[in-house]
Amino acid sequence: MYKTIKTFSFLVLLTLLAAVSWPQPQSTAAAPIMQSLTWQGEEFAQGAGADTAVSPTGLTLDDAAFTAVYTSNPIHTPIGFNALVTSWEADVPTDTSLEIQVRTRKGNGEWSEWFHLHSHLDLVQEDDHENLSDMLTVPEADGTHDTIQFSVSFGRFNSLVAPELHSISFTFIDTTAGPTAVEMLAQQQALDAANGSKPTDGYPRPTVISREVWCISVDCDYTAGLEYDNASHMIVHHTVSSNSSSNWAATVRAIWAFHTYPASTTCTSCRGWGDIGYNYLIDLNGVIYEGHNNQDYLNLDVVGTHASGANTGSMGVSLIGTFTSTSYPGLPGIAPSEPMKTSLVELLSWKADQRDINVFDASDALPFVAGGRPNLMGHRDAFGTTECPGDQAHVLIPWLRDQVGAKIGLSDPYLYVNENSTQFTKSSATWYEGGNECGHNGHSYYTNSTTNPAASANWGIWRPVVPKNGRYTIEAYVPYCNTGKGETAGATYEIHHANGVTEVTRSHQQYVGLWVPLGTFDLTAGTDNFVYLDDLVTTDNSLGLWFDSLRLLEVTEPDTITAIAPTDGSWTNNPQVAFSWDIDTTNTVISTSLTVSTDAAQTNKLVNQTWNTAVFSHTHNFAAEQPTLYWQVTAVMDHGSGVTQTLSTPPRQLGIDTTAPTSEVTAVYEMSGGVNYLVVWTGADALSGVASYELQYRLLGDTDWTKVVETTAVSALFTPPNPDSSYEFRVLATDVATNRQSADTPAAALGTDQAIPLPHAIMLPFITR
């Protein structure tokens, strides 16, 4: 399979953005200088490489070669630069490889090391077709570099196809004309002293370099298009920039320019996001920078551009640098420094306390994200299509939760059983692991659902160490992982508890990214209790079925009783009605009663059933239609020492309707011009009422009917497939109880040959409901 990448035009231009003032009036600084340079086609002749070939379409292997290395001549850049971004267009067929490296220097000085250019999904939209490298930065001691050289390694494993580099573009950015981090800290202290300290009721925000101090371009100051939404989630990123710089202030300005300006002849790789994407950035020295423009950083959460659909409702914090694993192909990262980690904890603690974010939990509060996500997560946990924030930063997420919780006095009350601990056992079968460290604590197992008992091979058992006898809620985590397919709707858990075994079926698709509630159960101290899950379902095949963490919480809330089904105001067409409810208590249930009556006061009982224990369901056959029923459950709990408590559910209404509705076509009107027909009908249902109608037609004399529309209206327009043919109509009604009119019942009473002409002069009132 070929990977085709966007072409960049060959232009070498210089844009010098207007100089503006620093935040302090005695200093001035220039806005970023940017320029791009592109090689394509036969311009690759300005280099050499045995077994390579240059053509009008680009650089590739000689016909007989299987490997080759090309090196360009040293290229003097149009401007001095402290940041470099590279993009390229290439065809890389299956069983071939193409790798690019670049190095830089100042004048005729020492070359830097060769940097392997890796195409980073973190910097492009999911539907982009663009190879874009990480941002390389120049050591602060060098100021700027002015010479680059690049190298291309080719490989293939058969003689039929070869990779080809069509073009390569370099964007040079100079943001050295501005204050250093040390200078900005001094400016910030002066500003903070002049503004005075602002009292806070919660955890204080750490010292931050404000945007007015570091963002020195005239384009930094704007308000148009800003949107705000309180953060419910916090997302950790990395900037995917080189770790060699020490002028982090210049790096922040370079990232701002790269994110802000649209792609152009002077910056072919720029993102065009209108501003820096992150809400905050933190450098390796622990200095925090305000990010995306915000009219009130202390009290408002601006919507940034850092996590696609998760932008709204989140705060994005980016660690400046690259924190991939030490074995990451071509671009090994480093671990976040201790000052960087300390500042990250302080910043997250302030926002978690301000917005009451439970960093240990997950929620579905992000308005434009389907399902749930962890409230504190790495970028990869939001959508699974990125490496961000790199393995060495992502592994810190559980630690960050603990650190933030400790800072703001939030403790996690749950007892966990992780699937990669000794408290979890699984079958010796083929298992898959969630990619990119996907899972509650960076890991998860999954398998595929099956409806075939003979094919069922995967099972797992969570066996918690319960600290004491009591009643506990049990929940299982279903991670959001990018597997390319959906999740099962029929995961069936067996909960082995003090009172026996309870089986519950839950949809993993419904709870993706969330904790699945399995119920509340009496558990005994020790390891006798366990939860069992296997891959055998009744709902689907080859969908994801997850084995992630399990958690328990001792119940200390008051006893409750909750009606589950049938829901209030519902109708059924089955006289055999299944009632279900839940009793949530830490005490002994000494009796459970179910009554069903024709009145809400429960005086005319049709069902009056009592059990001397806890019961959670009952099925009763009413044998006949019931226009109005009310059902109620009562439980008596023993609190000990002769104290009892009686709880009842509010009466819930239901009806039983087993009779199908009726309907018939009453008129057909030929609309003016003879192109369309208006079909009109009536319908009735004695109990639950008509819910919808399906209008059908057929060619006069045929036996097969075709659907025109399903609607709640009592009329519809019909356009004949063949204006010269005659058609007849019928309508089938469905009631609220889902009884459907038999296809054998209605006759084809009227057709187009019986249509009543309807000239323009006649106006009919069209009532659709």
Side-chain angles (χ1 to χ4, degrees):
M1 178 175 289
Y2 282 77
K3 182 180 181 184
T4 303
I5 315 300
K6 172 168 54 179
T7 304
F8 297 97
S9 60
F10 175 73
L11 283 169
V12 180
L13 294 171
L14 176 65
T15 294
L16 180 59
L17 302 177
V20 296
S21 296
W22 278 19
Q24 295 188 359
Q26 67 268 26
S27 300
T28 60
I33 301 172
M34 296 184 292
Q35 185 172 353
S36 290
L37 178 152
T38 299
W39 278 24
Q40 62 182 8
E42 295 181 346
E43 288 165 332
F44 288 109
Q46 301 174 65
D51 296 325
T52 60
V54 176
S55 73
T57 60
L59 179 67
T60 186
L61 284 164
D62 276 340
D63 290 341
F66 282 83
T67 61
V69 177
Y70 166 92
T71 304
S72 73
N73 295 332
I75 303 168
H76 186 72
T77 62
I79 61 170
F81 62 92
N82 67 300
L84 168 65
V85 179
T86 308
S87 56
W88 61 95
E89 174 199 358
D91 285 330
V92 185
T94 301
D95 293 333
T96 71
S97 63
L98 186 152
E99 297 181 356
I100 303 174
Q101 299 182 87
V102 67
R103 63 181 180 176
T104 69
R105 71 182 181 189
K106 186 180 185 73
N108 293 318
E110 292 289 328
W111 285 106
S112 70
E113 63 180 310
W114 283 102
F115 294 99
H116 183 281
L117 301 185
H118 189 275
S119 182
H120 278 284
L121 293 175
D122 303 351
L123 299 175
V124 298
Q125 298 298 322
E126 196 169 345
D127 56 351
D128 280 353
H129 301 288
E130 179 180 3
N131 277 328
L132 188 65
S133 78
D134 50 292
M135 178 182 286
L136 303 180
T137 54
V138 171
E140 184 176 15
D142 289 358
T144 60
H145 283 183
D146 55 20
T147 306
I148 66 168
Q149 188 175 37
F150 69 92
S151 172
V152 187
S153 299
F154 297 94
R156 63 176 167 184
F157 303 100
N158 62 65
S159 59
L160 299 179
V161 292
E164 182 172 19
L165 177 65
H166 298 301
S167 67
I168 187 167
S169 296
F170 304 96
T171 294
F172 309 101
I173 306 173
D174 181 8
T175 55
T176 56
T180 65
V182 173
E183 292 169 334
M184 290 193 299
L185 281 170
Q187 292 181 42
Q188 190 63 53
Q189 290 172 356
L191 277 176
D192 291 344
N195 294 333
S197 61
K198 296 180 174 60
T200 176
D201 295 332
Y203 198 87
R205 188 176 81 147
T207 299
V208 172
I209 301 296
S210 63
R211 188 179 170 96
E212 63 179 305
V213 168
W214 73 259
C215 202
I216 60 177
S217 168
V218 67
D219 294 327
C220 292
D221 187 14
Y222 71 97
T223 58
L226 293 178
E227 298 179 4
Y228 298 91
D229 192 84
N230 284 352
S232 60
H233 289 67
M234 301 183 294
I235 304 176
V236 179
H237 300 261
H238 65 165
T239 58
V240 202
S241 54
S242 65
N243 301 311
S244 59
S245 174
S246 54
N247 187 355
W248 301 114
T251 299
V252 172
R253 292 191 291 269
I255 294 170
W256 173 83
F258 174 54
H259 284 190
T260 298
Y261 296 109
S264 66
T265 53
T266 58
C267 184
T268 56
S269 302
C270 280
R271 301 293 83 203
W273 295 342
D275 200 345
I276 198 165
Y278 316 112
N279 298 106
Y280 290 91
L281 301 93
I282 305 175
D283 68 26
L284 282 169
N285 295 323
V287 178
I288 307 173
Y289 305 81
E290 290 177 343
H292 199 94
N293 197 23
N294 187 335
Q295 292 170 286
D296 185 355
Y297 284 94
L298 288 175
N299 300 296
L300 297 176
D301 298 325
V302 72
V303 177
T305 313
H306 59 91
S308 189
N311 290 330
T312 302
S314 70
M315 181 181 78
V317 182
S318 194
L319 307 179
I320 300 174
T322 297
F323 303 99
T324 51
S325 69
T326 56
S327 59
Y328 192 79
L331 188 68
I334 62 172
S337 67
E338 289 301 318
M340 174 179 275
K341 288 159 57 179
T342 297
S343 293
L344 179 59
V345 168
E346 291 296 316
L347 185 64
L348 296 175
S349 298
W350 162 66
K351 184 55 64 176
D353 186 61
Q354 183 189 57
R355 296 292 180 233
D356 196 23
I357 300 172
N358 185 346
V359 294
F360 298 109
D361 215 338
S363 67
D364 57 0
L366 293 170
F368 302 116
V369 173
R373 297 294 187 277
N375 293 341
L376 172 55
M377 59 180 163
H379 184 192
R380 66 177 65 174
D381 301 315
F383 294 104
T385 56
T386 173
E387 297 283 342
C388 184
D391 287 355
Q392 295 193 71
H394 189 261
V395 74
L396 297 175
I397 297 298
W399 175 84
L400 283 171
R401 292 173 181 143
D402 290 337
Q403 294 296 307
V404 172
K407 290 284 185 181
I408 64 176
L410 176 67
S411 60
D412 190 353
Y414 287 92
L415 171 69
Y416 290 88
V417 182
N418 294 321
E419 78 293 341
N420 53 357
S421 73
T422 57
Q423 294 170 260
F424 177 80
T425 55
K426 66 184 192 302
S427 61
S428 299
T430 300
W431 290 86
Y432 305 100
E433 294 181 279
N436 264 351
E437 291 74 46
C438 169
H440 169 242
N441 269 339
H443 181 269
S444 58
Y445 291 116
Y446 73 97
T447 184
N448 296 317
S449 62
T450 179
T451 57
N452 180 7
S456 176
N458 294 76
W459 56 260
I461 293 176
W462 296 263
R463 192 178 293 273
V465 179
V466 180
K468 62 179 181 178
N469 293 348
R471 193 157 178 83
Y472 295 81
T473 60
I474 302 179
E475 298 176 326
Y477 192 65
V478 178
Y480 175 88
C481 298
N482 185 29
T483 62
K485 59 183 177 183
E487 324 306 339
T488 183
T492 300
Y493 295 83
E494 288 181 7
I495 298 89
H496 294 249
H497 50 84
N499 301 320
V501 179
T502 300
E503 189 176 276
V504 296
T505 299
R506 296 290 185 263
S507 168
H508 281 187
Q509 184 64 41
Q510 177 184 352
Y511 285 98
V512 68
L514 297 168
W515 289 94
V516 181
L518 302 183
T520 304
F521 308 92
D522 291 321
L523 303 182
T524 56
T527 59
D528 289 341
N529 318 275
F530 64 91
V531 175
Y532 170 90
L533 175 67
D534 61 33
D535 54 6
L536 186 62
V537 303
T538 61
T539 53
D540 43 63
N541 285 285
S542 299
L543 294 181
L545 195 148
W546 292 90
F547 296 75
D548 203 325
S549 295
L550 195 80
R551 70 182 186 182
L552 286 70
L553 179 65
E554 186 180 9
V555 176
T556 58
E557 290 80 12
D559 299 334
T560 60
I561 181 169
T562 306
I564 299 176
T567 57
D568 194 24
S570 62
W571 285 89
T572 179
N573 60 9
N574 186 355
Q576 187 163 298
V577 179
F579 298 91
S580 63
W581 56 91
D582 184 56
I583 305 172
D584 193 355
T585 178
T586 58
N587 301 289
T588 301
V589 178
I590 57 177
S591 72
T592 310
S593 300
L594 169 68
T595 58
V596 184
S597 179
T598 58
D599 63 311
Q602 300 290 298
T603 58
N604 185 27
K605 297 182 180 68
L606 303 183
V607 177
N608 190 6
Q609 181 75 49
T610 299
W611 303 268
N612 294 323
T613 186
V615 173
F616 301 94
S617 64
H618 179 68
T619 300
H620 183 80
N621 192 341
F622 290 89
E625 292 184 325
Q626 299 290 339
T628 306
L629 293 175
Y630 296 88
W631 69 282
Q632 187 173 36
V633 178
T634 300
V636 180
M637 272 73 73
D638 183 2
H639 288 246
S641 302
V643 178
T644 62
Q645 179 186 17
T646 301
L647 294 176
S648 298
T649 63
R652 290 199 168 196
Q653 184 180 352
L654 74 144
I656 302 172
D657 179 1
T658 61
T659 304
T662 59
S663 63
E664 64 175 338
V665 176
T666 57
V668 178
Y669 296 95
E670 182 180 1
M671 304 300 285
S672 178
V675 177
N676 298 315
Y677 294 87
L678 177 67
V679 184
V680 180
W681 59 85
T682 61
D685 185 81
L687 292 180
S688 60
V690 176
S692 65
Y693 300 93
E694 182 177 312
L695 176 64
Q696 300 178 347
Y697 77 93
R698 68 183 177 189
L699 193 66
L700 199 62
D702 275 5
T703 58
D704 296 330
W705 292 92
T706 301
K707 177 180 175 180
V708 178
V709 68
E710 185 165 351
T711 179
T712 59
V714 291
S715 65
L717 285 176
F718 171 72
T719 301
N722 184 351
D724 297 327
S725 298
S726 295
Y727 299 88
E728 56 184 352
F729 307 96
R730 73 175 182 185
V731 64
L732 302 178
T734 301
D735 65 18
V736 175
T738 70
N739 297 299
R740 182 174 171 84
Q741 186 175 0
S742 171
D744 299 328
T745 301
L750 295 174
T752 55
D753 58 337
Q754 300 162 291
I756 303 170
L758 190 66
H760 280 297
I762 299 177
M763 304 298 292
L764 287 180
F766 292 99
I767 301 173
T768 60
R769 195 168 179 84

